[in-house]
Amino acid sequence: MNGLRLDLQFFAEEKTEKATPRKRQEVREKGQVAKSADINTAMVMLVVFLVLFFSGTYYKEKMLHLLSQSFEQYARADLTIDSVHLLFINWLKNTALIIAPVFCAAVAAACLANFLQVGFLFTTEPLKMDWNRLNPIQGLKRIISLRAVVELLKSLLKIGIVGMVTFALLWLQLDHILSLTTKSLSATLSSLASLTVKMGLYASVALLFLAIFDYLYQRFDFEKNIRMSKQDIKDEYKKTEGDPLIKSKMKQKQREMAMKRMMQEVPKADVVITNPTHYAVALKYEDGKMDAPMVVAKGADYVALKIKQLAKEHDVVTVENRPLAQALYRQTEIGDMIPEEFFKAVAEILAYVYRLKRKV
């Protein structure tokens, strides 16, 4: 054991700590969030096939109307540049009216899936050029990484389960499918369309079920990737709270400013009660505006000396009362009204001060 040296700094770099709220906000602003693309795909598929399931008759009539119009009206029209242009615009409008509900439903489903996973998030960080993505070595590492293996297994699992679901549905409908050879073309097409929509719905539900587990995995992987080391947390704390040396200088500056403001109030005081050397408390009272005398400045030792000097320079009366000065210094803060137990003693001092001012 004597020949072994344990460097604890080695463990300080291990990413063992959960990400702080600041780190989470930073990675979110960069567009790095826990999100499963499979949920988006499954939601879009499910909503689109639901629209087709409930609006199948509408789409059938629209498609038949478009086909009949194309063969009965458009085919008989004279072919000129203007007529061809007009026919193309009409055909495009009719096609857009057919596709629009499905397209809008797909967009709404995609937006809803994203919102449910990550909330409202808008950032342009992922669109910025990152030259590391063009690095072939980094690309090779991503290809042979554990994440790539997991994604491959997930893809195989999705293909397998979706394939099994659709195959099971076809197997259960095998007799019905074989009987289509004896039906009319219209009935056959209707049956195939209905079967296709059912296959899409079953596959979407199966994919959505798998996507929930994929989302849980993505959250786990995201949390692991944003973990921080103990040193990272210390660095973030320094960055957030500021360097201790700078903080101490700021506090010193704040104390100096507070001291300056306090000293500016001393000339406005009515009386300064002293210890006589260790403590000094400056009081001010305005009849009708204050319920009780207020402490406008206080200090000990050097600060007390400065208060007394200012009081002398501005002809503020100084009264020596050791017990009262010590009690007021310990029990009050600047801006406080004096406690009730000191009313009598302070009232006597103020009365004495007012008598002196009247004599002057």
Side-chain angles (χ1 to χ4, degrees):
M1 292 294 293
N2 293 333
L4 296 176
R5 296 180 61 188
L6 183 61
D7 189 359
L8 296 179
Q9 291 297 320
F10 173 79
F11 297 101
E13 298 301 322
E14 290 291 323
K15 307 289 186 180
T16 57
E17 307 300 315
K18 288 185 177 181
T20 61
R22 181 181 176 87
K23 175 65 176 294
R24 294 178 184 276
Q25 182 63 29
E26 288 178 352
V27 298
R28 181 178 176 83
E29 290 174 355
K30 294 178 181 178
Q32 300 174 12
V33 290
K35 185 178 72 171
S36 171
D38 291 345
I39 286 187
N40 293 7
T41 304
M43 285 284 288
V44 170
M45 284 182 58
L46 182 61
V47 170
V48 167
F49 280 109
L50 282 174
V51 170
L52 294 175
F53 180 78
F54 289 106
S55 306
T57 304
Y58 167 80
Y59 283 106
K60 176 184 175 182
E61 293 176 355
K62 284 292 185 181
M63 289 296 295
L64 290 176
H65 174 72
L66 180 61
L67 291 173
S68 63
Q69 190 179 40
S70 300
F71 288 109
E72 292 178 3
Q73 297 180 16
Y74 298 163
R76 297 177 182 179
D78 295 331
L79 295 179
T80 63
I81 295 177
D82 293 335
S83 64
V84 170
H85 178 73
L86 182 61
L87 293 176
F88 177 75
I89 294 298
N90 290 334
W91 186 85
L92 195 62
K93 287 181 179 179
N94 292 328
T95 305
L97 290 175
I98 295 174
I99 298 175
V102 177
F103 177 78
C104 293
V107 172
C111 293
L112 178 62
N114 275 294
F115 181 78
L116 291 177
Q117 292 184 82
V118 301
F120 181 77
L121 175 63
F122 178 79
T123 177
T124 59
E125 284 293 326
L127 301 178
K128 293 182 178 179
M129 177 62 71
D130 186 2
W131 295 105
N132 290 328
R133 296 178 182 176
L134 302 179
N135 189 336
I137 298 177
Q138 294 295 330
L140 184 61
K141 287 182 179 179
R142 288 193 294 267
I143 292 174
I144 62 175
S145 64
L146 178 61
R147 184 179 182 86
V149 175
V150 172
E151 292 296 328
L152 175 62
L153 294 176
K154 281 166 45 183
S155 299
L156 294 175
L157 182 63
K158 286 186 290 186
I159 293 172
I161 292 182
V162 172
M164 289 174 57
V165 169
T166 53
F167 177 79
L169 180 63
L170 289 174
W171 184 261
L172 293 174
Q173 299 288 329
L174 183 60
D175 293 338
H176 177 69
I177 295 172
L178 294 176
S179 66
L180 293 179
T181 56
T182 62
K183 295 184 178 180
S184 64
L185 179 60
S186 176
T188 301
L189 291 176
S190 297
S191 298
L192 290 177
S194 177
L195 184 60
T196 302
V197 171
K198 287 182 180 179
M199 289 172 59
L201 286 173
Y202 279 84
S204 301
V205 172
L207 186 59
L208 183 61
F209 178 76
L210 293 175
I212 294 174
F213 289 97
D214 179 63
Y215 175 72
L216 296 176
Y217 166 75
Q218 295 295 340
R219 283 193 64 87
F220 167 78
D221 188 61
F222 174 75
E223 292 292 333
K224 185 178 72 172
N225 289 332
I226 65 172
R227 282 179 186 171
M228 305 172 67
S229 65
K230 296 183 184 297
Q231 187 61 41
D232 292 336
I233 295 178
K234 291 180 181 178
D235 293 341
E236 182 186 283
Y237 177 79
K238 287 183 179 180
K239 184 178 178 181
T240 305
E241 300 297 326
D243 187 86
L245 181 60
I246 297 176
K247 286 180 64 178
S248 64
K249 290 183 178 180
M250 291 178 61
K251 288 182 179 179
Q252 182 181 356
K253 190 68 176 178
Q254 290 170 355
R255 286 194 296 268
E256 291 175 356
M257 294 174 65
M259 180 70 67
K260 185 177 180 180
R261 288 195 299 269
M262 182 183 73
M263 291 303 179
Q264 290 174 349
E265 295 296 322
V266 173
K268 305 174 185 177
D270 293 314
V271 64
V272 174
I273 303 174
T274 65
N275 189 30
T277 56
H278 295 295
Y279 299 102
V281 180
L283 301 178
K284 179 181 180 181
Y285 179 68
E286 296 182 10
D287 190 18
K289 295 182 179 180
M290 296 181 180
D291 296 331
M294 182 177 67
V295 179
V296 295
K298 72 171 189 175
D301 300 328
Y302 174 75
V303 178
L305 180 61
K306 293 290 291 182
I307 291 174
K308 288 186 288 184
Q309 289 177 351
L310 274 174
K312 185 177 180 181
E313 292 173 2
H314 293 85
D315 297 325
V316 178
V317 178
T318 300
V319 176
E320 179 182 338
N321 189 323
R322 296 188 180 187
L324 182 60
Q326 294 178 11
L328 288 174
Y329 180 84
R330 293 191 177 96
Q331 298 183 34
T332 61
E333 297 294 336
I334 297 171
D336 289 350
M337 301 295 178
I338 64 171
E340 187 176 351
E341 60 264 27
F342 303 127
F343 280 3
K344 183 178 180 181
V346 173
E348 292 175 355
I349 292 175
L350 289 175
Y352 166 73
V353 170
Y354 296 153
R355 285 197 300 271
L356 284 179
K357 289 182 177 181
R358 281 197 295 269
K359 289 180 181 179
V360 174

